[in-house]
Coordinates of all heavy atoms in Angstrom, one line a residue:
T195 N 0.8 -1.2 0.0 CA 0.0 0.0 0.0 C 0.9 1.2 0.0 O 1.8 1.4 0.8 CB -0.9 0.0 1.2 OG1 -1.7 -1.2 1.2 CG2 -1.8 1.2 1.2
N196 N 0.6 2.1 -0.9 CA 1.3 3.4 -1.0 C 0.3 4.5 -0.8 O -0.5 4.8 -1.7 CB 2.1 3.5 -2.3 CG 2.9 4.8 -2.4 OD1 2.6 5.8 -1.9 ND2 4.0 4.6 -3.1
I197 N 0.4 5.2 0.3 CA -0.6 6.2 0.6 C -0.6 7.4 -0.4 O -1.6 8.0 -0.8 CB -0.4 6.8 2.0 CG1 -1.6 7.7 2.4 CG2 0.9 7.5 2.2 CD1 -2.9 6.9 2.5
Y198 N 0.6 7.7 -1.0 CA 0.7 8.7 -2.0 C -0.2 8.3 -3.2 O -0.9 9.1 -3.8 CB 2.1 9.0 -2.5 CG 3.0 9.6 -1.4 CD1 4.1 8.9 -0.9 CD2 2.8 10.9 -1.0 CE1 4.9 9.5 0.1 CE2 3.6 11.5 0.0 CZ 4.6 10.8 0.5 OH 5.4 11.4 1.5
E199 N 0.0 7.1 -3.7 CA -0.8 6.6 -4.9 C -2.3 6.6 -4.6 O -3.1 7.0 -5.4 CB -0.3 5.2 -5.3 CG 1.1 5.2 -5.9 CD 1.6 3.8 -6.2 OE1 0.8 2.9 -6.0 OE2 2.7 3.7 -6.6
Y200 N -2.6 6.2 -3.4 CA -4.0 6.2 -3.0 C -4.7 7.6 -3.0 O -5.7 7.8 -3.6 CB -4.1 5.6 -1.6 CG -5.5 5.5 -1.0 CD1 -6.3 4.5 -1.4 CD2 -5.9 6.3 0.0 CE1 -7.6 4.3 -0.9 CE2 -7.2 6.2 0.6 CZ -8.0 5.2 0.1 OH -9.3 5.1 0.7
I201 N -4.0 8.6 -2.5 CA -4.5 10.0 -2.4 C -4.6 10.5 -3.9 O -5.5 11.2 -4.2 CB -3.6 10.8 -1.5 CG1 -3.8 10.4 -0.1 CG2 -4.0 12.3 -1.7 CD1 -2.8 11.0 0.9
L202 N -3.5 10.3 -4.7 CA -3.5 10.8 -6.0 C -4.6 10.2 -6.9 O -5.2 10.8 -7.7 CB -2.1 10.6 -6.7 CG -1.0 11.5 -6.1 CD1 0.3 11.2 -6.7 CD2 -1.4 13.0 -6.2
T203 N -4.9 8.9 -6.6 CA -5.9 8.2 -7.3 C -7.3 8.8 -7.0 O -8.1 9.1 -7.9 CB -6.0 6.7 -7.0 OG1 -4.7 6.1 -7.4 CG2 -7.1 6.0 -7.7
I204 N -7.5 9.1 -5.7 CA -8.8 9.8 -5.3 C -8.9 11.1 -6.0 O -9.9 11.5 -6.5 CB -8.9 9.9 -3.8 CG1 -9.0 8.5 -3.2 CG2 -10.0 10.8 -3.4 CD1 -8.8 8.4 -1.7
R205 N -7.8 11.9 -5.9 CA -7.8 13.2 -6.6 C -8.1 13.1 -8.0 O -8.9 13.9 -8.6 CB -6.5 13.9 -6.4 CG -6.5 15.4 -6.9 CD -5.1 16.0 -6.9 NE -4.4 15.3 -8.0 CZ -3.1 15.5 -8.2 NH1 -2.4 16.2 -7.4 NH2 -2.5 14.9 -9.2
N206 N -7.5 12.2 -8.7 CA -7.7 12.1 -10.2 C -9.1 11.5 -10.6 O -9.6 11.8 -11.7 CB -6.6 11.2 -10.8 CG -5.3 11.9 -10.7 OD1 -5.2 13.1 -10.7 ND2 -4.2 11.1 -10.7
M207 N -9.8 10.8 -9.6 CA -11.1 10.3 -9.9 C -12.2 11.3 -9.6 O -13.3 11.2 -10.2 CB -11.3 9.0 -9.1 CG -10.4 7.9 -9.6 SD -10.7 6.4 -8.6 CE -12.4 5.9 -9.1
L208 N -12.0 12.2 -8.8 CA -13.0 13.2 -8.4 C -13.2 14.2 -9.6 O -12.3 14.6 -10.2 CB -12.6 14.0 -7.2 CG -12.8 13.3 -5.9 CD1 -12.2 14.1 -4.7 CD2 -14.2 12.9 -5.6
R209 N -14.5 14.6 -9.8 CA -14.8 15.7 -10.7 C -14.3 17.0 -10.1 O -14.1 17.1 -8.9 CB -16.3 15.8 -11.0 CG -16.8 14.5 -11.7 CD -18.3 14.7 -11.9 NE -18.7 13.5 -12.6 CZ -20.0 13.2 -12.7 NH1 -20.9 13.9 -12.2 NH2 -20.3 12.1 -13.4
N210 N -14.2 18.0 -10.9 CA -13.8 19.4 -10.4 C -14.8 19.7 -9.3 O -16.0 19.6 -9.4 CB -13.9 20.4 -11.5 CG -12.7 20.3 -12.5 OD1 -11.7 19.7 -12.1 ND2 -12.8 20.8 -13.6
N211 N -14.3 20.3 -8.2 CA -15.0 20.6 -7.0 C -15.7 19.5 -6.4 O -16.6 19.6 -5.6 CB -16.1 21.7 -7.4 CG -15.4 23.0 -7.9 OD1 -14.4 23.5 -7.2 ND2 -15.9 23.5 -8.9
G212 N -15.2 18.2 -6.7 CA -15.8 17.1 -6.0 C -15.3 17.1 -4.5 O -14.4 17.8 -4.1
V213 N -16.0 16.3 -3.7 CA -15.7 16.2 -2.3 C -15.3 14.8 -1.9 O -16.0 13.8 -2.3 CB -17.0 16.6 -1.5 CG1 -16.7 16.5 0.0 CG2 -17.4 18.0 -1.8
W214 N -14.3 14.7 -1.2 CA -13.8 13.4 -0.7 C -14.2 13.4 0.8 O -13.7 14.2 1.6 CB -12.3 13.3 -0.8 CG -11.6 12.1 -0.2 CD1 -12.2 11.0 0.3 CD2 -10.2 11.9 0.1 NE1 -11.3 10.1 0.9 CE2 -10.1 10.7 0.8 CE3 -9.1 12.7 -0.1 CZ2 -8.8 10.2 1.2 CZ3 -7.9 12.3 0.3 CH2 -7.7 11.1 0.9
I215 N -15.0 12.4 1.2 CA -15.4 12.3 2.6 C -14.8 10.9 3.0 O -15.1 9.9 2.5 CB -16.9 12.2 2.8 CG1 -17.5 13.6 2.3 CG2 -17.2 11.9 4.2 CD1 -19.0 13.6 2.3
N216 N -13.9 11.0 4.0 CA -13.2 9.8 4.5 C -13.6 9.6 6.0 O -13.3 10.4 6.8 CB -11.7 10.0 4.4 CG -11.0 8.7 4.7 OD1 -11.1 7.7 4.0 ND2 -10.2 8.7 5.8
L217 N -14.2 8.4 6.2 CA -14.5 8.0 7.6 C -13.8 6.7 7.8 O -14.0 5.8 7.0 CB -16.0 7.9 7.8 CG -16.8 9.1 7.6 CD1 -18.3 8.7 7.6 CD2 -16.5 10.2 8.6
G218 N -13.0 6.6 8.8 CA -12.4 5.4 9.1 C -11.1 5.6 9.9 O -10.6 6.7 10.1
P219 N -10.5 4.5 10.3 CA -9.4 4.6 11.2 C -8.1 4.9 10.4 O -8.0 4.7 9.2 CB -9.2 3.2 11.7 CG -9.9 2.3 10.7 CD -11.0 3.1 10.1
V220 N -7.2 5.6 11.1 CA -5.9 5.9 10.6 C -4.9 4.9 11.2 O -4.2 5.2 12.2 CB -5.4 7.3 10.8 CG1 -4.0 7.6 10.2 CG2 -6.4 8.3 10.3
Q221 N -5.1 3.6 10.8 CA -4.3 2.5 11.4 C -3.7 1.8 10.2 O -4.4 1.4 9.3 CB -5.2 1.6 12.2 CG -5.8 2.2 13.4 CD -6.8 1.3 14.1 OE1 -7.9 1.8 14.4 NE2 -6.6 0.1 14.3
W222 N -2.4 1.8 10.2 CA -1.7 1.3 9.0 C -1.4 -0.2 9.1 O -1.1 -0.7 10.2 CB -0.4 2.0 8.8 CG -0.6 3.5 8.7 CD1 -0.3 4.4 9.7 CD2 -1.2 4.2 7.7 NE1 -0.6 5.6 9.3 CE2 -1.2 5.6 8.1 CE3 -1.7 3.9 6.5 CZ2 -1.7 6.6 7.3 CZ3 -2.2 4.9 5.7 CH2 -2.2 6.2 6.0
H223 N -1.5 -0.9 8.0 CA -1.1 -2.3 8.0 C 0.4 -2.4 8.2 O 1.1 -1.5 7.8 CB -1.5 -3.0 6.7 CG -1.3 -4.4 6.6 ND1 -0.1 -5.0 6.3 CD2 -2.2 -5.4 6.9 CE1 -0.3 -6.3 6.4 NE2 -1.5 -6.6 6.7
R224 N 0.9 -3.4 8.8 CA 2.3 -3.5 9.1 C 3.2 -3.6 7.8 O 4.3 -3.3 7.9 CB 2.6 -4.7 10.0 CG 2.3 -6.0 9.3 CD 2.6 -7.2 10.2 NE 2.1 -8.4 9.5 CZ 1.9 -9.5 10.1 NH1 2.0 -9.6 11.4 NH2 1.5 -10.6 9.4
N225 N 2.6 -3.9 6.7 CA 3.3 -4.0 5.4 C 3.2 -2.7 4.6 O 3.7 -2.7 3.5 CB 2.8 -5.2 4.6 CG 3.2 -6.5 5.3 OD1 4.2 -6.6 6.0 ND2 2.4 -7.5 5.1
A226 N 2.5 -1.7 5.2 CA 2.3 -0.4 4.4 C 3.7 0.2 4.2 O 4.6 0.2 5.1 CB 1.5 0.5 5.2
Q227 N 3.9 0.7 3.0 CA 5.2 1.3 2.6 C 5.5 2.5 3.5 O 6.7 2.7 3.9 CB 5.3 1.7 1.2 CG 5.2 0.5 0.2 CD 5.2 0.9 -1.2 OE1 5.1 2.1 -1.6 NE2 5.2 0.0 -2.1
L228 N 4.5 3.3 3.8 CA 4.6 4.5 4.6 C 3.6 4.4 5.7 O 2.5 3.9 5.5 CB 4.5 5.7 3.8 CG 5.4 5.9 2.7 CD1 5.0 7.1 1.8 CD2 6.8 6.2 3.2
Q229 N 3.9 4.9 6.9 CA 2.9 5.0 8.0 C 3.0 6.4 8.6 O 3.4 6.6 9.7 CB 3.2 3.9 9.0 CG 3.1 2.5 8.5 CD 3.4 1.4 9.5 OE1 3.6 1.7 10.7 NE2 3.3 0.2 9.1
P230 N 2.5 7.4 7.8 CA 2.6 8.8 8.3 C 1.7 9.0 9.6 O 0.6 8.3 9.7 CB 2.1 9.6 7.2 CG 1.2 8.7 6.4 CD 1.8 7.3 6.5
S231 N 2.1 9.9 10.4 CA 1.2 10.3 11.5 C 0.0 11.0 11.0 O -0.1 11.3 9.8 CB 2.0 11.3 12.5 OG 2.2 12.5 11.8
T232 N -1.0 11.3 11.8 CA -2.2 11.9 11.3 C -1.9 13.3 10.8 O -2.4 13.8 9.8 CB -3.3 12.0 12.4 OG1 -2.7 12.6 13.6 CG2 -3.8 10.6 12.7
N233 N -0.9 14.0 11.5 CA -0.5 15.4 11.0 C 0.2 15.3 9.7 O 0.0 16.1 8.8 CB 0.3 16.1 12.1 CG -0.4 16.5 13.3 OD1 -1.6 16.7 13.3 ND2 0.2 16.5 14.4
E234 N 1.1 14.3 9.5 CA 1.8 14.1 8.3 C 0.8 13.8 7.2 O 0.9 14.2 6.0 CB 2.8 13.0 8.4 CG 4.0 13.4 9.3 CD 4.9 12.3 9.6 OE1 4.4 11.1 9.7 OE2 6.1 12.5 9.9
L235 N -0.2 12.9 7.5 CA -1.2 12.5 6.5 C -2.0 13.7 6.0 O -2.2 13.9 4.8 CB -2.2 11.5 7.1 CG -3.3 11.0 6.2 CD1 -2.7 10.4 4.9 CD2 -4.2 10.0 7.0
R236 N -2.4 14.6 7.0 CA -3.1 15.8 6.6 C -2.2 16.7 5.6 O -2.7 17.2 4.6 CB -3.5 16.6 7.8 CG -4.3 17.8 7.4 CD -4.8 18.6 8.6 NE -5.5 19.8 8.2 CZ -6.5 20.4 8.8 NH1 -6.9 19.9 9.9 NH2 -7.0 21.5 8.3
D237 N -1.0 16.8 6.0 CA -0.1 17.6 5.1 C 0.0 17.0 3.7 O 0.0 17.7 2.7 CB 1.3 17.7 5.7 CG 1.4 18.5 7.0 OD1 0.5 19.3 7.2 OD2 2.4 18.4 7.7
I238 N 0.1 15.7 3.6 CA 0.2 15.0 2.3 C -1.1 15.2 1.5 O -1.0 15.5 0.3 CB 0.4 13.5 2.5 CG1 1.8 13.2 3.1 CG2 0.3 12.7 1.2 CD1 2.0 11.8 3.7
I239 N -2.2 15.2 2.2 CA -3.5 15.4 1.5 C -3.6 16.8 1.0 O -4.0 17.0 -0.1 CB -4.7 15.0 2.5 CG1 -4.7 13.5 2.7 CG2 -6.0 15.6 2.0 CD1 -5.6 13.1 3.9
E240 N -3.2 17.8 1.8 CA -3.2 19.2 1.4 C -2.2 19.4 0.2 O -2.5 20.2 -0.7 CB -3.0 20.1 2.5 CG -4.2 20.1 3.5 CD -4.0 21.0 4.7 OE1 -2.8 21.1 5.2 OE2 -5.0 21.5 5.2
L241 N -1.1 18.8 0.3 CA -0.1 19.0 -0.8 C -0.5 18.4 -2.1 O -0.1 18.8 -3.1 CB 1.3 18.4 -0.4 CG 2.1 19.2 0.7 CD1 3.2 18.3 1.2 CD2 2.5 20.5 0.1
A242 N -1.4 17.4 -2.0 CA -2.0 16.8 -3.2 C -3.1 17.7 -3.8 O -3.6 17.3 -4.9 CB -2.6 15.4 -2.9
G243 N -3.4 18.8 -3.2 CA -4.3 19.7 -3.7 C -5.7 19.8 -3.1 O -6.6 20.5 -3.5
F244 N -5.9 19.0 -2.1 CA -7.2 19.0 -1.4 C -7.2 20.1 -0.4 O -6.2 20.5 0.2 CB -7.4 17.7 -0.6 CG -7.7 16.5 -1.5 CD1 -6.7 15.6 -1.9 CD2 -9.0 16.2 -1.9 CE1 -7.0 14.6 -2.7 CE2 -9.3 15.2 -2.8 CZ -8.3 14.3 -3.2
R245 N -8.4 20.7 -0.2 CA -8.7 21.6 0.9 C -9.5 20.9 2.0 O -10.6 20.4 1.7 CB -9.5 22.8 0.3 CG -9.7 23.9 1.3 CD -10.3 25.1 0.6 NE -11.5 24.8 -0.2 CZ -12.7 25.2 0.1 NH1 -13.0 25.8 1.2 NH2 -13.7 24.8 -0.8
V246 N -8.9 20.8 3.2 CA -9.5 20.1 4.3 C -10.5 21.1 4.9 O -10.1 22.1 5.5 CB -8.4 19.6 5.3 CG1 -9.1 19.0 6.5 CG2 -7.4 18.7 4.6
L247 N -11.8 20.7 4.9 CA -12.8 21.5 5.5 C -13.1 21.1 7.0 O -13.4 21.9 7.8 CB -14.1 21.3 4.7 CG -14.0 21.7 3.3 CD1 -15.4 21.4 2.6 CD2 -13.7 23.2 3.1
H248 N -12.9 19.8 7.3 CA -13.0 19.4 8.7 C -12.1 18.2 8.9 O -12.0 17.3 8.0 CB -14.5 18.9 8.9 CG -14.7 18.4 10.3 ND1 -14.9 19.3 11.3 CD2 -14.8 17.2 10.8 CE1 -15.1 18.6 12.4 NE2 -15.0 17.3 12.1
W249 N -11.4 18.2 10.0 CA -10.4 17.1 10.3 C -10.6 16.8 11.8 O -10.4 17.7 12.7 CB -9.0 17.6 10.0 CG -7.9 16.6 10.3 CD1 -7.2 16.4 11.4 CD2 -7.4 15.7 9.3 NE1 -6.3 15.4 11.2 CE2 -6.4 15.0 9.9 CE3 -7.7 15.5 7.9 CZ2 -5.6 14.0 9.3 CZ3 -6.9 14.5 7.3 CH2 -5.9 13.8 7.9
E250 N -10.9 15.6 12.1 CA -11.1 15.1 13.5 C -10.5 13.8 13.6 O -10.8 12.9 12.8 CB -12.6 15.1 13.8 CG -12.9 14.8 15.2 CD -14.4 14.8 15.5 OE1 -15.1 15.6 14.9 OE2 -14.8 14.0 16.4
V251 N -9.7 13.6 14.6 CA -9.0 12.3 14.8 C -9.2 11.9 16.2 O -8.8 12.6 17.1 CB -7.5 12.3 14.4 CG1 -6.9 11.0 14.7 CG2 -7.3 12.8 13.0
S252 N -9.7 10.7 16.5 CA -9.8 10.1 17.8 C -8.6 9.3 18.1 O -8.0 8.7 17.2 CB -11.0 9.2 17.9 OG -11.1 8.6 19.1
E253 N -8.1 9.4 19.3 CA -7.0 8.6 19.7 C -7.3 7.2 20.1 O -6.4 6.3 20.2 CB -6.3 9.3 21.0 CG -5.7 10.7 20.7 CD -4.6 10.6 19.6 OE1 -3.8 9.7 19.6 OE2 -4.6 11.6 18.8
K254 N -8.6 6.9 20.2 CA -9.1 5.6 20.5 C -8.9 4.6 19.3 O -9.3 5.0 18.2 CB -10.5 5.6 20.9 CG -11.1 4.2 21.3 CD -12.6 4.4 21.7 CE -13.1 3.0 22.0 NZ -14.5 3.0 22.3
L255 N -8.3 3.5 19.5 CA -8.2 2.5 18.5 C -9.5 1.8 18.2 O -10.3 1.6 19.1 CB -7.2 1.4 18.9 CG -5.7 1.8 19.0 CD1 -4.9 0.7 19.5 CD2 -5.2 2.3 17.7
V256 N -9.7 1.5 16.9 CA -11.0 0.9 16.5 C -10.7 -0.5 15.9 O -9.8 -0.6 15.1 CB -11.6 1.8 15.4 CG1 -12.9 1.2 14.9 CG2 -11.9 3.2 15.9
A257 N -11.5 -1.4 16.3 CA -11.4 -2.8 15.7 C -12.2 -2.8 14.4 O -13.3 -3.1 14.4 CB -11.9 -3.8 16.7
Y258 N -11.5 -2.4 13.3 CA -12.3 -2.3 12.1 C -12.2 -3.6 11.2 O -12.9 -3.7 10.3 CB -11.8 -1.1 11.3 CG -10.4 -1.2 10.8 CD1 -10.1 -1.6 9.5 CD2 -9.3 -0.9 11.6 CE1 -8.8 -1.7 9.0 CE2 -8.0 -1.0 11.2 CZ -7.7 -1.4 9.9 OH -6.5 -1.5 9.4
R259 N -11.3 -4.5 11.5 CA -11.3 -5.7 10.8 C -11.9 -6.9 11.5 O -12.7 -7.6 11.0 CB -9.8 -6.1 10.5 CG -9.2 -5.2 9.5 CD -7.8 -5.7 9.1 NE -7.2 -4.8 8.2 CZ -5.9 -4.6 8.2 NH1 -5.1 -5.3 8.9 NH2 -5.3 -3.8 7.3
H260 N -11.6 -7.0 12.8 CA -12.1 -8.1 13.6 C -12.5 -7.5 15.0 O -11.7 -6.8 15.6 CB -11.1 -9.2 13.8 CG -10.5 -9.7 12.5 ND1 -11.3 -10.6 11.7 CD2 -9.4 -9.6 11.9 CE1 -10.5 -10.9 10.7 NE2 -9.4 -10.3 10.8
P261 N -13.7 -7.8 15.5 CA -14.1 -7.2 16.7 C -13.2 -7.4 17.9 O -13.1 -6.6 18.8 CB -15.5 -7.8 17.0 CG -15.9 -8.4 15.7 CD -14.7 -8.6 14.9
N262 N -12.4 -8.5 17.9 CA -11.6 -8.8 19.0 C -10.2 -8.3 18.9 O -9.3 -8.6 19.7 CB -11.5 -10.3 19.2 CG -12.9 -10.9 19.6 OD1 -13.7 -10.3 20.2 ND2 -13.2 -12.1 19.1
D263 N -9.9 -7.4 17.9 CA -8.5 -6.9 17.7 C -8.2 -5.9 18.8 O -7.0 -5.7 19.1 CB -8.4 -6.2 16.4 CG -8.3 -7.1 15.2 OD1 -8.2 -8.3 15.5 OD2 -8.3 -6.7 14.1
V264 N -9.2 -5.3 19.5 CA -8.9 -4.3 20.5 C -9.6 -4.7 21.8 O -10.7 -5.1 21.7 CB -9.5 -2.9 20.0 CG1 -9.3 -1.8 21.1 CG2 -8.8 -2.5 18.7
D265 N -8.9 -4.6 22.9 CA -9.5 -5.0 24.2 C -10.4 -3.9 24.7 O -10.6 -2.8 24.0 CB -8.5 -5.4 25.2 CG -7.6 -4.2 25.7 OD1 -8.0 -3.0 25.5 OD2 -6.5 -4.5 26.2
S266 N -11.1 -4.1 25.8 CA -12.1 -3.2 26.3 C -11.5 -1.8 26.6 O -12.3 -0.8 26.7 CB -12.8 -3.8 27.5 OG -11.9 -4.0 28.5
S267 N -10.2 -1.7 26.9 CA -9.6 -0.4 27.2 C -9.3 0.4 25.9 O -8.9 1.5 26.0 CB -8.3 -0.6 28.0 OG -7.3 -1.1 27.2
G268 N -9.5 -0.2 24.7 CA -9.1 0.5 23.5 C -7.7 0.2 23.0 O -7.2 0.8 22.1
S269 N -7.0 -0.7 23.7 CA -5.6 -1.0 23.4 C -5.6 -2.2 22.5 O -6.4 -3.1 22.6 CB -4.8 -1.3 24.6 OG -4.8 -0.2 25.5
P270 N -4.6 -2.2 21.6 CA -4.5 -3.4 20.7 C -4.1 -4.6 21.5 O -3.4 -4.5 22.5 CB -3.3 -3.1 19.7 CG -2.6 -2.0 20.4 CD -3.5 -1.3 21.3
K271 N -4.7 -5.8 21.2 CA -4.3 -7.0 21.9 C -3.0 -7.5 21.4 O -2.6 -7.3 20.3 CB -5.4 -8.1 21.7 CG -6.7 -7.8 22.4 CD -7.7 -8.9 22.2 CE -8.9 -8.7 23.0 NZ -9.9 -9.8 22.8
S272 N -2.2 -8.1 22.3 CA -0.9 -8.5 21.9 C -1.0 -9.6 20.8 O -2.0 -10.4 20.8 CB -0.1 -9.1 23.1 OG -0.9 -10.2 23.7
G273 N -0.1 -9.6 19.9 CA -0.1 -10.5 18.8 C -1.0 -10.2 17.7 O -1.1 -10.9 16.7
V274 N -1.7 -9.0 17.8 CA -2.7 -8.6 16.7 C -2.0 -7.5 15.9 O -1.5 -6.6 16.4 CB -4.0 -8.1 17.3 CG1 -4.9 -7.5 16.2 CG2 -4.7 -9.2 18.1
N275 N -2.0 -7.7 14.6 CA -1.4 -6.7 13.7 C -2.4 -6.1 12.8 O -3.3 -6.7 12.2 CB -0.3 -7.3 12.9 CG 0.9 -7.7 13.8 OD1 1.3 -7.0 14.6 ND2 1.3 -8.9 13.6

């Protein structure tokens, strides 16, 4: 996974004045080529030509693949990637 290619693909697919709404975790797969912080990710998105209208990031981890990936405290379970 290359986040630069992903962002550029979205930019190139949108019509002029199109809107990209992204809801989801900023949790990188261990094999991702880059794993930017949320601040770095926002910078990358803006450098690609997007205007960020709203940006909100929760520090709580989300079990988005398997419900048991995160324990009740919101911490990753050991051995889970």
Side-chain angles (χ1 to χ4, degrees):
T195 303
N196 183 326
I197 191 64
Y198 291 115
E199 290 177 4
Y200 181 75
I201 292 168
L202 292 176
T203 298
I204 292 169
R205 185 191 70 190
N206 292 333
M207 291 180 67
L208 284 174
R209 294 181 178 164
N210 287 340
N211 298 313
V213 177
W214 171 19
I215 298 173
N216 187 66
L217 300 172
V220 181
Q221 295 171 227
W222 306 108
H223 189 275
R224 65 180 175 202
N225 294 330
Q227 292 176 358
L228 301 170
Q229 298 182 3
S231 69
T232 53
N233 290 333
E234 292 169 332
L235 179 60
R236 182 178 176 147
D237 290 343
I238 293 167
I239 291 168
E240 290 178 329
L241 287 170
F244 287 96
R245 183 169 49 108
V246 177
L247 301 176
H248 180 80
W249 183 270
E250 183 178 330
V251 179
S252 172
E253 295 300 320
K254 182 180 177 186
L255 292 176
V256 177
Y258 66 98
R259 290 187 184 149
H260 306 286
N262 296 326
D263 284 353
V264 177
D265 67 21
S266 61
S267 72
S269 299
K271 289 186 176 180
S272 60
V274 174
N275 295 312

